[in-house]
Amino acid sequence: MTVWDDLVGQDRVREQLAAAARDADALVTAVSDGKPLDQGSKMTHAWLFTGPPGSGRSTAARAFAAALQCTSPDRALGGAPGCGFCDGCHTSLVGTHADVEVIRTDLLSIGVKETRDLVRRAQLSPAVGRWQVIVMEDADRLTEGAGNVLLKAVEEPAPRTVWMLCAPSLEDVLPTIRSRCRHLTLSTPPVEAVADVLIRRDGVDPERAHNAARATQGHIGRARRLATDERARARRAAVLKVPLRVADVGGCLKAAQELIDTATDDAKQLAEEVDAKETEDLKAALGGVAGGRMPRGTAGAMKELEDKQKRRKTRTQRDSLDLALTELTGFYRDVLALQLGSRLAIANVDVRDSLDRIAESSTPAQTLRRIESVIACREAMDRNVAPLLAVEAMTMALRAG
Ligand SMILES: [Zn+2]
């Protein structure tokens, strides 16, 4: 076992990171021995990981962070850092290393204030480890103001600080920032590799693992959820029935309402899990008594938390809808493949009967228009069209074809 084990189907990225980790290790050793630095070092202070959702951007960043913190005595004897066993590796991977901070947001954007706080923390020397590592999972969500704050930190990093930014594509990151980062691209891992991980690491039975990997087209996180979570399977089954339910206007409106309700339920469930505790924690921190009146001057902080919780709810609902739209697109892509007699592998083999029915009762031109209407729905929501309206417009367009 090594720190790279969860990085599926990304051999080239893995090699580059392993080489950088080796050089980083040599760098720390050289500095502490008072030796001059190697100018050809593959180590650098700012990294940008891009790749499609599910390709393992943050997994790659985390593995790299662990390799940088590796303290295994073997690495001095020609072994590579990133043993996966030592305290540095282990605590980095499970998220308890004092010098590895992972920034994950459940909001739609990352603002100036939190970025400033982060940059301040990043200036510190490592507390116990060899490097101070900050992994930002959603660098594409930085506001422009926040991006400019971050830019200064990336331009002039503290000697032992490493930034690892993750985003879907280069275009999602401010040009000024990305030009200062070493860029690594992850690709969608092959279906076989994903199935293999589900079998090997999660103990999923082979048939279910293959179906989940195929249905999610190499998205590891979604494949894992589908293979291990009954609720996720029920959700997907409901979404893939939508194409059969849009035969009349009533069916269209009902299907749209159900898609929205499901997304709202997801948001509500998450809110119930975290909001109440978060609110109580803040009240306690501000000196309030449970159930009692809050001290003067704390209303602003409470309001700020309420706003944050509201934004998180919107984001969760949106993510849930996005997933449904992705599944619908996959369904029609399969329909098109059948209609064109393409040799493209069918993703949704488990609903082959529905695929055949829709493929036989429509033309490829209709299928293309249906795919376009799913894309149009996502674009409408990006423009802040009310989700129910956008989804209704989509189901109506699916009916017309
Ligand atoms: Zn190690």
Side-chain angles (χ1 to χ4, degrees):
M1 191 196 122
T2 71
V3 294
W4 313 108
D5 286 5
D6 275 353
L7 197 53
V8 182
Q10 314 290 348
D11 293 347
R12 217 172 45 87
V13 166
R14 179 182 161 154
E15 276 163 28
Q16 284 173 290
L17 291 176
R22 258 194 307 276
D23 284 5
D25 192 44
L27 204 69
V28 174
T29 309
V31 170
S32 58
D33 292 351
K35 288 191 192 129
L37 298 182
D38 173 12
Q39 293 302 315
S41 175
K42 294 186 178 70
M43 184 52 189
T44 177
H45 287 279
W47 297 78
L48 175 58
F49 296 86
T50 65
S55 55
R57 300 178 299 239
S58 59
T59 305
R62 247 176 254 246
F64 186 33
L68 291 180
Q69 307 291 16
C70 183
T71 52
S72 156
D74 287 351
R75 57 181 224 293
L77 307 166
C83 67
F85 281 111
C86 74
D87 203 45
C89 282
H90 179 71
T91 54
S92 300
L93 288 177
V94 300
T96 55
H97 196 293
D99 297 309
V100 178
E101 184 169 2
V102 179
I103 310 297
R104 188 184 307 116
T105 185
D106 41 24
L107 304 178
L108 287 166
S109 62
I110 304 174
V112 170
K113 187 174 165 286
E114 48 203 307
T115 308
R116 250 192 217 122
D117 292 344
L118 180 64
V119 165
R120 202 171 305 128
R121 289 199 296 280
Q123 296 303 321
L124 304 173
S125 299
V128 293
R130 299 164 72 80
W131 298 87
Q132 160 94 280
V133 182
I134 294 132
V135 177
M136 189 179 273
E137 286 195 349
D138 309 282
D140 51 312
R141 296 214 175 98
L142 287 162
T143 62
E144 199 170 337
N148 287 325
V149 173
L150 181 66
L151 177 61
K152 289 208 189 71
V154 174
E155 271 178 333
E156 294 162 24
R160 287 284 181 85
T161 297
V162 184
W163 290 90
M164 301 182 189
L165 311 179
C166 307
S169 75
L170 273 181
E171 288 68 37
D172 293 312
V173 183
L174 282 181
T176 41
I177 290 187
R178 65 178 191 239
S179 67
R180 281 162 182 83
C181 294
R182 171 91 66 81
H183 178 215
L184 291 176
T185 314
L186 288 94
S187 47
T188 300
V191 166
E192 280 309 313
V194 173
D196 209 46
V197 173
L198 295 181
I199 296 165
R200 201 162 34 84
R201 309 211 44 143
D202 301 290
V204 175
D205 80 72
E207 194 191 338
R208 175 170 284 176
H210 280 103
N211 280 344
R214 207 173 300 131
T216 53
Q217 295 287 293
H219 188 304
I220 299 171
R222 277 178 49 212
R224 181 171 284 143
R225 216 166 310 134
L226 205 54
T228 57
D229 180 357
E230 186 63 49
R231 208 174 90 139
R233 281 197 290 278
R235 288 293 163 83
R236 172 171 169 272
V239 169
L240 296 185
K241 284 206 181 91
V242 168
L244 301 174
R245 297 178 58 203
V246 293
D248 55 70
V249 175
C252 292
L253 298 181
K254 202 157 165 248
Q257 186 64 55
E258 283 175 19
L259 285 172
I260 296 292
D261 289 348
T262 301
T264 311
D265 282 351
D266 283 345
K268 226 166 95 188
Q269 195 187 349
L270 180 75
E272 274 164 13
E273 280 163 21
V274 292
D275 284 10
K277 175 159 192 325
E278 218 172 44
T279 307
E280 282 312 311
D281 287 352
L282 179 65
K283 277 186 178 169
L286 293 172
V289 207
R293 278 175 64 89
M294 291 300 294
R296 258 169 208 281
T298 57
M302 293 303 295
K303 175 79 176 45
E304 204 176 297
L305 179 64
E306 271 169 34
D307 287 347
K308 183 183 140 188
Q309 290 173 341
K310 218 171 129 191
R311 280 184 286 147
R312 181 166 59 206
K313 210 167 173 177
T314 309
R315 156 102 199 264
T316 312
Q317 190 194 29
R318 176 61 205 269
D319 283 352
S320 174
L321 274 177
D322 260 341
L323 177 59
L325 297 184
T326 303
E327 284 167 345
L328 270 181
T329 312
F331 182 94
Y332 286 114
R333 180 189 151 280
D334 283 348
V335 169
L336 191 63
L338 290 173
Q339 286 173 328
L340 299 177
S342 150
R343 294 224 306 260
L344 215 63
I346 300 292
N348 300 290
V349 275
D350 53 334
V351 291
R352 183 61 195 256
D353 287 352
S354 312
L355 294 173
D356 284 336
R357 256 173 77 186
I358 303 288
E360 282 156 19
S361 63
S362 60
T363 65
Q366 278 177 311
T367 307
L368 277 173
R369 280 200 295 278
R370 284 172 169 151
I371 292 173
E372 276 163 18
S373 66
V374 180
I375 296 169
C377 175
R378 184 171 276 145
E379 286 170 352
M381 286 195 295
D382 280 341
R383 295 193 311 271
N384 287 324
V385 171
L388 182 58
L389 284 182
V391 175
E392 277 177 0
M394 176 188 79
T395 53
M396 296 294 276
L398 292 179
R399 170 177 174 248

